[in-house]
């Protein structure tokens, strides 16, 4: 296991211990770095082999070790929530949902009570 993977695992474990990240259940998945998917069996006739994927990855990693590689080893919390534009979109969606719910309630209270 590379030091990079160990560092990611330690970060996952530390974040998993914080109350605000409890819903993510990070600690039980630390050893998989959060991957919760399903590994499919690969058929040589249908796809590629894991050996071929490992060889390609090894070649790729070897090429990325150049002098122009930038490594940022200092992480910082950048914030959470929506961007200003995303907040406007989210507010519009929430308003549309509230109006739809209100119209549905009004329709249900009318004689005949049709929901649409």
């Amino acid at each position: 296991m590379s030091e990079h993977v160990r560092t990611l695992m330690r970060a996952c474990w530390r974040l998993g211990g914080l109350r605000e990240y409890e819903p993510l259940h990070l600690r039980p998945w630390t050893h998989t770095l959060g991957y919760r998917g399903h590994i499919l069996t690969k058929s040589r006739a249908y796809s590629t082999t894991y050996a071929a994927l490992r060889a390609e990855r090894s070649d790729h990693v070897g090429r990325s070790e150049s002098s122009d590689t930038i490594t940022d080893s200092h992480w910082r919390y950048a914030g959470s929530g929506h961007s200003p534009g995303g907040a406007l979109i989210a507010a519009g969606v929430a308003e549309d949902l509230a109006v739809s719910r209100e119209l549905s309630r009004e329709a249900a209270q009318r004689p005949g009570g049709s929901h649409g």
Side-chain angles (χ1 to χ4, degrees):
M1 180 183 322
S2 70
E3 185 56 34
H4 176 70
V5 171
R6 281 189 181 97
T7 301
L8 290 174
M9 290 174 76
R10 282 191 292 270
C12 192
W13 188 262
R14 280 194 309 271
L15 291 173
L18 299 175
R19 183 179 307 182
E20 59 266 31
Y21 295 115
E22 283 177 3
L24 298 177
H25 306 289
L26 293 172
R27 283 192 168 177
W29 294 100
T30 297
H31 66 287
T32 61
L33 296 176
Y35 179 76
R36 295 166 66 173
H38 177 68
I39 298 292
L40 300 175
T41 302
K42 293 198 173 284
S43 162
R44 290 178 187 192
Y46 176 75
S47 186
T48 186
T49 63
Y50 284 112
L53 291 173
R54 283 191 299 271
E56 184 63 32
R57 184 176 187 280
S58 178
D59 288 346
H60 173 75
V61 170
R63 286 193 305 264
S64 69
E65 300 287 332
S66 63
S67 61
D68 62 342
T69 300
I70 298 172
T71 302
D72 185 2
S73 60
H74 300 286
W75 293 26
R76 64 182 174 82
Y77 178 72
S80 61
H82 296 292
S83 65
L88 287 173
I89 292 170
V93 169
E95 183 178 352
D96 288 348
L97 289 171
V99 168
S100 292
R101 277 193 221 96
E102 183 60 31
L103 290 173
S104 180
R105 274 194 291 274
E106 289 174 4
Q109 291 174 357
R110 285 189 215 121
S114 173
H115 289 296

